[in-house]
Amino acid sequence: MSSSYRETYQSWKDDPEGFWQEVAGEIDWIEPWTKVFDEQSGPYGRWFAGAVCNTCYNAVDRHVMQGRGEQPAVIYDSPITGAKRTMTYRELLAEVTALSAVLTDNNVAKGDRVIVYMPMVPEALIAMLACARIGAIHSVVFGGFAAKELATRIDDAKPKAIISASCGIEPGRIVAYKPLLDEAIELSRFKPDCCVVLQRQQQECSLIEGRDIDYRASVDAAISSGRQIACEPVLATDPLYILYTSGTTGQPKGVVRDNGGHMVALKWSMHAIYDIKPGEVFWAASDVGWVVGHSYIVYAPLLHGATTILFEGKPVGTPDAGTFWRVISEHKVAALFTAPTAFRAIKKEDPEGEFIGKYDLSCLRTLFLAGERADPETIRWAEEKLKVPVIDHWWQTETGWTIAGNPVGLGALPVKHGSPTVAMPGYDIRIVDDAGHEVKTGTLGNIVVKLPLPPSCLPTLWNADTRFCEAYLNEFPGYYKTADAGYKDEDDYLFIMARTDDIINVAGHRLSTGGMEEVVAEHPDVAECAVIGIADAMKGQSPCGFVVLNKGADRSHADIEKEVVALVRQKIGPVAAFKTVVPVPRLPKTRSGKILRKTMQQIADGVEWKMPATIDDPEILNEISAALKERGMGRQN
Ligand code: COA
Ligand code: AMP
């Protein structure tokens, strides 16, 4: 099939508002917009201004009304607990309505925030939809974050309620969520009125009287009393959710997603990019705590009337490297979306792909990868073993959907390994130098997007318009700074090479080295530190902390290292995957005192590096090499 991508992209370019207006026809609106794009409102404008809608209605109710009531909406498959459960759209509606009633009864109303701190259980998805139904703004916090991170988000979002669970399950250990929740509320200055807590049989928890509500008991009571809660009309420009993501400091950025533009872009993406028809099964093997989970476990498949898989497990070890193939064949998955790291984990366990041969994967049409750079070797392995197109695509928490991709539904373009292909409609992508001038084809530069951003992209940061402008708009006036660096080739294919800030990508998870440095520096024996991301064969990158110890620190280095690792785990959480601390006598700096992190990274990765012209004392780099060599890291010659 030839691709209609070029005509589609051109039709957007010729008439951006006309393009999105037509696409918006796929959504049911309560009242139409007064302006498709209102450039006067918000830091750079707002989509579908004046329109009234409800995201839950579009994701659930309308499918029941249009005859999809008995179709599976959600398949929960949990190899880590052995549980499996299929929920039809009708059942999903009943659960969502009941939880909406519980929230309403606890005074949660339109515009109030609700934090969702849950493992990968259907109730997490139900909680998000229940908030959407009543116009409350959810903020999901990934379960791998520690109490302090949760507390920071509570203080920023000021939630009326928190929906949580007694525990999550990681291989070999139960993660007790309730003590983390209680500690976070203890730590935060702002206190929620109530917590709705799901008791999981693997480990129940005690509830605090007057504050905690038993999820199941209250939802069951709402179901048996037949409570009906209608979908609350909200403005298209009202926030649907806030999702915190790593910034350059320990203070995360609250990415705001609106209701209208989000629905429009996501619904379009399901057929144009992912080539999925309503009724088909779509699986995003991610976590609802990340943006991929928000968009492609929850909202997009449901807006499209597809069936979504909610998978509680890992690509390996639950129970083996064949788990993904079992899920695909058992539930007839048409497209899988995951991070390359999942495939690297599988390839490491089963390099020959022997498990693949044990399952009938004829239902699988496409594999989509995102979240980190897809290395050509992993792509080739997946192509060869699965015998389906493997499609890399590039996006960010800020956008909520693809910036550059290969729109399979419009007819796939030729794949070039190492490139997520081309700009999607809505994105006018330019590569510029630090002064904002466009660079030549093939030249590495800052990747920026001409404003306005398309529907679904963040209109601002939660309660932080100024920070939004500072972080994204001010450096390149008229453009959104992606903070990724890369280049375009002669066919306009993009290549995403690195971040331009101190964000690192560990197993597809976005982490701030600045945030880690803030924690490492808290250790009483640490005088100075630098955290960098070093190459990791499985996770892409892993954090490594270089510490200069205080003069008086006479304790064993091994003890201090262990304490620093424990401190990061305790303050940020296990997701930081912070396991390496290297004591060094000094940190390399420029003459103006800037730490030379990039050079340290090149030394640690064992790649070629050049002596920075601005370095204060070149000898320090030899000290770094020696400290790494002692641990078997860096170049061993
Ligand atoms: N709750 C509590 N702890 C969690 C958690 C959660 N929801 N998720 C991860 N963790 C913990 C892990 O148990 C691990 O703890 P450990 O240090 O005690 O072993 C730590 O956080 C680091 O997790 P991770 O980096 O994910 O490593 P892993 O070894 O557990 O798994 C992969 C590695 C590659 C299998 C896994 O990251 C994966 O499946 N990634 C691909 C899918 C994905 O998540 N994509 C996200 C964006 S698309
Ligand atoms: P997150 O906001 O967690 O989705 O992380 C976004 C960042 O992940 C981007 O800014 C990129 O640095 C990286 N990223 C995501 N997808 C890709 C991809 N397909 N190729 C290269 N990098 C990617």
Side-chain angles (χ1 to χ4, degrees):
M1 165 183 168
S2 69
S3 177
S4 61
Y5 162 75
R6 303 251 171 230
E7 300 88 87
T8 309
Y9 188 79
Q10 195 56 46
S11 74
W12 161 73
K13 240 184 153 184
D14 293 343
D15 179 10
E17 291 186 20
F19 180 89
W20 290 117
Q21 168 149 277
E22 194 182 324
V23 172
E26 297 185 38
I27 298 300
D28 284 357
W29 303 89
I30 299 167
E31 280 173 37
W33 44 89
T34 46
K35 277 185 171 173
V36 180
F37 183 72
D38 177 7
E39 59 193 21
Q40 298 306 324
S41 90
Y44 69 86
R46 301 298 307 261
W47 287 99
F48 305 107
V52 178
C53 58
N54 183 281
T55 295
C56 178
Y57 176 83
N58 277 279
V60 187
D61 299 57
R62 71 164 170 169
H63 302 310
V64 176
M65 290 161 73
Q66 291 167 6
R68 289 192 186 277
E70 308 321 314
Q71 180 199 305
V74 183
I75 298 173
Y76 167 56
D77 190 311
S78 170
I80 206 151
T81 62
K84 278 184 206 170
R85 178 178 164 199
T86 298
M87 216 186 298
T88 64
Y89 271 100
R90 191 180 304 286
E91 288 163 345
L92 178 62
L93 178 59
E95 288 279 327
V96 169
T97 308
L99 184 60
S100 307
V102 173
L103 292 173
T104 306
D105 291 348
N106 284 282
N107 301 319
V108 179
K110 181 160 145 179
D112 288 337
R113 275 78 58 210
V114 175
I115 280 187
V116 178
Y117 183 57
M118 293 187 107
M120 282 288 288
V121 289
E123 288 80 1
L125 171 150
I126 291 165
M128 293 161 77
L129 291 166
C131 292
R133 186 171 195 84
I134 61 173
I137 302 163
H138 63 69
S139 184
V140 182
V141 178
F142 178 62
F145 282 120
K148 188 170 170 288
E149 290 287 324
L150 179 56
T152 308
R153 287 152 175 81
I154 294 174
D155 276 329
D156 198 67
K158 300 189 172 40
K160 194 80 152 299
I162 299 184
I163 306 177
S164 189
S166 57
C167 68
I169 297 122
E170 284 294 294
R173 73 189 159 102
I174 289 184
V175 183
Y177 274 48
K178 189 59 181 2
L180 295 171
L181 173 66
D182 290 342
E183 191 191 335
I185 296 176
E186 190 78 33
L187 287 171
S188 62
R189 287 183 306 280
F190 182 87
K191 312 289 175 196
D193 291 350
C194 70
C195 298
V196 185
V197 182
L198 177 77
Q199 295 283 16
R200 299 191 77 188
Q201 65 180 44
Q202 289 77 11
Q203 185 169 306
E204 297 211 341
C205 62
S206 57
L207 300 182
I208 296 175
E209 223 182 292
R211 188 198 76 183
D212 295 346
I213 298 161
D214 184 288
Y215 181 108
R216 201 62 258 163
S218 56
V219 164
D220 284 348
I223 290 178
S224 47
S225 66
R227 291 285 303 284
Q228 293 302 317
I229 298 285
C231 291
E232 179 74 26
V234 296
L235 288 174
T237 48
D238 281 341
L240 169 68
Y241 69 75
I242 307 164
L243 179 57
Y244 288 90
T245 190
S246 302
T248 44
T249 65
Q251 181 69 30
K253 297 190 280 201
V255 167
V256 172
R257 192 83 60 220
D258 67 13
N259 276 275
H262 176 243
M263 286 196 279
V264 171
L266 260 53
K267 176 78 174 73
W268 180 83
S269 73
M270 282 304 287
H271 54 84
I273 298 179
Y274 299 102
D275 190 29
I276 293 292
K277 292 177 203 57
E280 290 191 317
V281 183
F282 186 80
W283 178 21
S286 177
D287 188 289
V288 286
W290 305 116
V291 67
V292 172
H294 278 63
S295 294
Y296 290 102
I297 295 175
V298 183
Y299 287 111
L302 297 179
L303 287 167
H304 198 49
T307 300
T308 186
I309 305 257
L310 195 102
F311 172 76
E312 190 183 27
K314 303 270 173 180
V316 293
T318 58
D320 53 39
T323 256
F324 272 27
W325 326 130
R326 198 260 310 150
V327 171
I328 292 169
S329 68
E330 195 172 319
H331 305 302
K332 303 275 170 290
V333 172
L336 168 66
F337 175 175
T338 192
T341 191
F343 267 75
R344 289 196 294 268
I346 294 170
K347 181 172 155 234
K348 190 165 168 235
E349 292 274 307
D350 181 19
E352 300 309 318
E354 282 168 14
F355 277 108
I356 296 174
K358 295 186 183 163
Y359 297 93
D360 174 8
L361 302 184
S362 54
C363 53
L364 185 72
R365 294 198 296 268
T366 330
L367 167 66
F368 293 92
L369 298 175
E372 58 175 322
R373 185 173 156 74
D375 52 292
E377 200 189 320
T378 302
I379 296 189
R380 269 193 289 273
W381 185 85
E383 282 173 341
E384 190 192 308
K385 302 294 177 205
L386 289 175
K387 301 189 171 42
V388 297
V390 178
I391 306 292
D392 179 19
H393 56 329
W394 169 55
W395 51 303
Q396 304 185 318
T397 303
E398 287 84 347
T399 65
W401 69 295
T402 314
I403 310 169
N406 193 340
V408 180
L410 299 180
L413 296 164
V415 168
K416 293 190 191 183
H417 290 165
S419 166
T421 319
V422 290
M424 286 300 95
Y427 297 95
D428 180 350
I429 301 178
R430 312 282 176 95
I431 314 287
V432 299
D433 62 19
D434 289 348
H437 302 124
E438 273 191 68
V439 299
K440 282 202 212 104
T441 302
T443 306
L444 191 75
N446 301 289
I447 311 179
V448 297
V449 182
K450 192 166 188 297
L451 293 172
L453 290 168
S456 167
C457 293
L458 80 173
T460 188
L461 292 173
W462 179 248
N463 280 342
D465 281 354
T466 307
R467 188 176 181 200
F468 171 76
C469 294
E470 281 166 7
Y472 302 106
L473 306 189
N474 291 355
E475 194 169 334
F476 302 104
Y479 293 85
Y480 163 82
K481 173 179 131 180
T482 66
D484 277 312
Y487 62 92
K488 271 191 212 175
D489 74 2
E490 58 290 351
D491 299 319
D492 276 339
Y493 277 49
L494 263 170
F495 290 78
I496 315 297
M497 305 310 289
R499 291 283 302 193
T500 58
D501 54 13
D502 68 353
I503 299 291
I504 57 169
N505 203 311
V506 181
H509 307 145
R510 172 170 161 177
L511 300 166
S512 157
T513 53
M516 290 188 219
E517 285 177 6
E518 285 175 23
V519 175
V520 174
E522 281 177 30
H523 190 282
D525 289 328
V526 171
E528 223 187 346
C529 68
V531 176
I532 57 168
I534 57 174
D536 181 288
M538 211 251 279
K539 296 191 176 186
Q541 283 185 301
S542 69
C544 173
F546 291 84
V547 293
V548 178
L549 298 178
N550 280 322
K551 284 244 159 47
D554 53 359
R555 302 168 50 228
S556 113
H557 282 190
D559 284 351
I560 297 175
E561 284 167 42
K562 261 193 234 140
E563 287 165 16
V564 170
V565 167
L567 195 63
V568 175
R569 192 176 175 95
Q570 183 213 331
K571 294 268 168 104
I572 297 179
V575 67
F578 183 85
K579 307 219 157 126
T580 313
V581 178
V582 183
V584 288
R586 296 178 294 171
L587 292 174
K589 292 184 187 162
T590 61
R591 282 186 282 276
S592 59
K594 215 166 159 259
I595 297 175
L596 290 160
R597 291 185 177 76
K598 190 158 172 227
T599 314
M600 291 165 77
Q601 182 183 344
Q602 288 165 330
I603 295 174
D605 287 349
V607 298
E608 289 298 325
W609 56 275
K610 269 201 212 125
M611 181 65 68
T614 53
I615 192 163
D616 188 24
D617 181 354
E619 177 53 26
I620 301 178
L621 294 179
N622 292 332
E623 294 168 10
I624 299 283
S625 298
L628 287 166
K629 206 166 175 182
E630 223 173 89
R631 283 158 191 268
M633 295 164 69
R635 186 177 282 203
Q636 296 301 301
N637 53 18

